[in-house]
Amino acid sequence: MLSFLRPREFVASIYDIDLPHLYELGFRYLLTDLDNTLVEWNSPVATPKLLTWLDAARNIGFQVCIISNNDEKRVMDFARLIAMPAFYKAGKPRKKAYREAIQLLSATPLETIMVGDQVFTDVLGGNRMGLYTVLVKPIHPQEFIGTKVMRWLERFVLRQMPEPKIIDDEKKK
Ligand SMILES: [Mg+2]
């Protein structure tokens, strides 16, 4: 059971994911959570840093798609802002939205990465689908109340993981 909860990588933020390396390994598709992964929970603002990262991912050759459990307005407003396909009320960790996203991108699970900040939704769902899962630290402590309960359980799982990698120079200052 625990192996399904374990991400393949645990990094400090999306900016610490070695996308060129993952591309070299054959990954072409990037599914990503929205809240506390790309931006703060319910933040409607795409930061310049995020936009630069998304451009870089696309330039490397990745196709990117959002899978979020948040509601239609929040998710689709943000998706329009960054011109990216998205699935809302995804019901992670259920497989349905992952399957739909993979189909939309004409991807295969073996070529697909799932990035998110929660073990019991993002990582568990991704692992169940056979994706390469990357856990990031949540951007900001403010979040949905139900999420806070799961964080307590997450800490138990993460105790068995190495500390997240930080390769972002800005954070070292
Ligand atoms: Mg999240």
Side-chain angles (χ1 to χ4, degrees):
M1 180 60 195
L2 269 185
S3 64
F4 263 127
L5 295 173
R6 205 166 284 147
R8 295 286 296 273
E9 283 186 43
F10 181 23
V11 293
S13 79
I14 54 170
Y15 308 107
D16 299 300
I17 301 170
D18 192 347
L19 289 177
H21 179 62
L22 290 172
Y23 190 87
E24 266 174 33
L25 293 178
F27 294 100
R28 299 290 181 269
Y29 305 94
L30 190 61
L31 308 184
T32 177
D33 173 49
L34 172 56
D35 290 300
N36 258 333
T37 297
L38 298 186
V39 290
E40 290 177 14
W41 184 54
N42 272 341
S43 166
V45 182
T47 60
K49 192 176 178 185
L50 172 63
L51 295 174
T52 302
W53 182 80
L54 288 171
D55 276 347
R58 288 170 177 151
N59 286 337
I60 291 166
F62 283 102
Q63 287 190 58
V64 189
C65 179
I66 292 174
I67 304 188
S68 171
N69 284 359
N70 211 330
D71 63 31
E72 178 174 6
K73 180 161 178 26
R74 189 286 182 272
V75 176
M76 298 319 284
D77 282 356
F78 197 90
R80 265 189 293 276
L81 185 71
I82 59 175
M84 186 182 290
F87 290 84
Y88 58 88
K89 287 192 177 165
K92 294 173 288 183
R94 286 188 299 151
K95 291 181 181 175
K96 185 168 175 282
Y98 293 87
R99 280 210 195 96
E100 287 172 353
I102 285 168
Q103 194 176 19
L104 178 79
L105 300 176
S106 302
T108 64
L110 284 176
E111 302 168 294
T112 304
I113 301 162
M114 173 67 201
V115 183
D117 69 298
Q118 286 194 60
V119 167
F120 289 94
T121 56
D122 305 312
V123 172
L124 176 58
N127 284 344
R128 291 180 68 210
M129 285 295 297
L131 312 184
Y132 186 94
T133 48
V134 179
L135 180 69
V136 297
K137 290 180 115 177
I139 292 173
H140 192 271
Q142 190 198 343
E143 56 196 355
F144 174 60
I145 184 73
T147 305
K148 291 188 179 184
V149 177
M150 299 314 283
R151 294 286 181 209
W152 185 85
L153 286 167
E154 263 180 22
R155 278 198 289 276
F156 171 77
V157 175
L158 294 178
R159 238 180 269 151
Q160 299 166 51
M161 291 285 300
E163 272 295 293
K165 284 187 289 185
I166 299 178
I167 57 174
D168 186 348
D169 286 341
E170 275 184 44
K171 292 203 186 90
K172 288 177 190 156
K173 285 174 196 163

